[in-house]
Amino acid sequence: MRRWGVAALLAAGLTMGTLGPAQAVHGGVPGDFNGDGYKDAVLPAPGANVSGKQAAGAVVVLYGSSSGLAASRRKTITQNTSGVPGTAEAYDRFGAATATADLNRDGYADLVVGSPYEDTSKGTDAGTVTVLWGSKSGLTTGTDLPSPSEAPHLYGQDIAALSLGAASKTWVAAAGYDASVHFTGPFSRTGTFGVGILNMDTGSVESVALGDFNGDGVPAPAVVTARDGDLTGGRVHTTFSPGTELTGNGLIAASGDVNGDGYADLVAGDPDEPAVAGADGMLGGRVLVWYGSANGISNATEPVQLTQNTAGVPGASEKDDAFGGGLTVADLNRDGLADIVVGAPYENVGGVPRAGAVTVIPGRASGALGTGAYTFTQDTSGVPSTSETDDFFGTTVSAGDVNKDGRPELYVGASGENNSTGAVFVLPGGTSRPTGTGARVFTGPSIGLTQSNGTLLGGDGLLWVI
């Protein structure tokens, strides 16, 4: 597993050219983009070729219905789609990051899309962030959220969006290597917004999250920086000033109320191997949880650590599992407590290297996290396909109910599947948790993306850096 510091990452971005150093992306979260009462699935494909332009990138929306998802009910959106700003160009990687929220509070979910390698008037690989606006006809028009930075770099490599109410209670956060940017509402379809806040105090930002950590009804940001020296992962911040980093590290962040106390909790995946055993990080990777409170989350907040050696968590911590390489937080068992969904894309399964696995750690109002945890792989009964070397099942994870049965489906990206064309597995919501029974898989060709390699359907998550 590679261990790069910030300087090395930036150098890699200059020398690797089209590959780029990092894309810290969560799985595409479903949203009701056309207002028919069913959430629609988001399948990003940042490596998709568009009109002969390699890796220009695309996002495929599969419309939800009472019967679930069907490849025939889809819309493919690129920068060449009418109403979408910009033009598809080689290696823009449109769809490298996505986020979903009803930004303008009109009853239709909106989709925020990052193109971190877009060249703009501000420079090469400056990046762009585009809002695709929901409507009765679905996602038909878009506007950009411009970075206020004078020299943005990889702007939009991770995105978070959260709407807790009108105006300043709706936020969008975007990561970049020069800075992170946080936008507040009110947002409009014409591209206006309340305020854009540029944060340049926390180093190169790898991942962003939003949550109501202190219960005041207003979203608050958290950022995770790129790797810092010999630390596993980067530094985690909820307050943007020097010396305020939280105890613990990570490369990807998410939020949700894990213990049901009314405050959002911050969760970070730290999939790196420790440089010095016992000094930082954990063998095979870890997840850290900082509980919110009336005072929010500060550097005095001690995190709870979860690994595959935690009591109740299946498996065992093994070198280079990359546990924490994929991450989302969602209430899968409908008990009012958010569950932590952890991808371990490098996990060996049945002796197959780097096949990948996903572990769900249920939220708990009391007692230790880990009890009742369960794991999915491609060898789980009912899950299509089988575990193969470098499938990276668990690259990205997300959840959402697309058939309105009250049982959220679990979405698992496997970016290495089928020569890195990628795949997204949809596991139905069961009586008390998602199940492999009746699971489906969407591949690039099944949704009209026919190139032979590198489509990266589902997104490539943290695979450029772990």
Side-chain angles (χ1 to χ4, degrees):
M1 186 178 294
R2 288 173 286 183
R3 293 183 48 79
W4 292 348
V6 173
L9 274 170
L10 294 177
L14 297 174
T15 59
M16 292 173 68
T18 58
L19 290 180
Q23 292 167 8
V25 56
H26 304 86
V29 177
D32 186 2
F33 302 119
N34 60 0
D36 65 355
Y38 296 95
K39 291 184 178 180
D40 312 309
V42 179
L43 278 59
N49 300 340
V50 179
S51 300
K53 305 297 184 181
Q54 190 170 357
V59 173
V60 179
V61 174
L62 300 180
Y63 289 104
S65 71
S66 59
S67 58
L69 304 174
S72 59
R73 295 193 303 272
R74 70 177 187 266
K75 180 173 184 177
T76 301
I77 303 171
T78 73
Q79 288 179 298
N80 282 353
T81 299
S82 177
V84 177
T87 302
E89 300 165 314
Y91 305 109
D92 282 348
R93 298 197 182 276
F94 178 81
T98 60
T100 304
D102 182 1
L103 299 183
N104 59 349
R105 308 287 295 178
D106 64 353
Y108 300 99
D110 309 305
L111 182 65
V112 191
V113 182
S115 307
Y117 296 95
E118 177 89 21
D119 296 344
T120 74
S121 60
K122 292 186 176 182
T124 301
D125 295 342
T128 59
V129 172
T130 301
V131 180
L132 303 177
W133 298 100
S135 71
K136 187 175 181 179
S137 301
L139 301 172
T140 58
T141 62
T143 57
D144 284 337
L145 287 174
S147 171
S149 172
E150 295 182 359
H153 184 60
L154 301 186
Y155 169 61
Q157 71 172 357
D158 195 25
I159 302 171
L162 180 62
S163 181
L164 298 177
S168 62
K169 293 186 177 183
T170 295
W171 281 51
V172 173
Y177 269 171
D178 63 307
S180 63
V181 184
H182 307 93
F183 298 92
T184 69
F187 295 88
S188 78
R189 295 177 65 90
T190 62
T192 64
F193 53 88
V195 179
I197 304 166
L198 184 68
N199 162 44
M200 302 188 73
D201 294 329
T202 52
S204 300
V205 176
E206 194 83 64
S207 184
V208 289
L210 292 168
D212 184 5
F213 303 121
N214 64 0
D216 66 355
V218 178
V223 302
V224 180
T225 71
R227 291 185 179 94
D228 188 355
D230 288 330
L231 297 174
T232 60
R235 300 185 184 275
V236 184
H237 295 258
T238 54
T239 303
F240 306 135
S241 57
T244 60
E245 62 269 13
L246 303 183
T247 301
N249 314 103
L251 288 174
I252 186 171
S255 70
D257 189 356
V258 175
N259 61 355
D261 64 356
Y263 303 103
D265 309 309
L266 179 63
V267 184
D270 184 16
D272 281 350
E273 294 297 322
V276 179
D280 184 56
M282 291 296 292
L283 176 72
R286 64 179 179 173
V287 168
L288 298 177
V289 182
W290 295 267
Y291 288 112
S293 70
N295 296 317
I297 298 172
S298 71
N299 57 358
T301 306
E302 290 293 328
V304 173
Q305 177 175 267
L306 300 167
T307 74
Q308 287 180 291
N309 284 346
T310 297
V313 177
S317 296
E318 301 163 316
K319 189 175 187 298
D320 293 340
D321 282 346
F323 183 80
L327 183 68
T328 195
V329 179
D331 184 4
L332 297 179
N333 59 2
R334 308 178 307 283
D335 64 352
L337 308 174
D339 308 315
I340 302 169
V341 185
V342 185
Y346 278 63
E347 178 85 21
N348 295 348
V349 179
V352 178
R354 299 174 300 281
V358 170
T359 298
V360 179
I361 302 172
R364 292 178 60 85
S366 61
L369 290 171
T371 301
Y374 52 95
T375 294
F376 294 105
T377 72
Q378 289 183 73
D379 291 345
T380 298
S381 177
V383 175
S385 188
T386 57
S387 295
E388 300 168 309
T389 299
D390 292 340
D391 276 349
F392 304 124
F393 182 85
T395 303
T396 57
V397 286
S398 64
D401 180 9
V402 295
N403 62 358
K404 211 162 63 170
D405 66 354
R407 303 172 178 179
E409 287 80 30
L410 176 62
Y411 303 84
V412 180
S415 66
E417 183 81 20
N418 299 332
N419 202 25
S420 293
T421 56
V424 175
F425 294 80
V426 182
L427 281 62
T431 302
S432 59
R433 70 186 203 187
T435 175
T437 303
R440 300 188 59 191
V441 60
F442 292 94
T443 64
S446 76
I447 55 174
L449 303 176
T450 58
Q451 69 198 65
S452 60
N453 61 75
T455 313
L456 301 174
L457 184 66
D460 56 350
L462 291 172
L463 289 189
W464 290 121
V465 294
I466 63 175

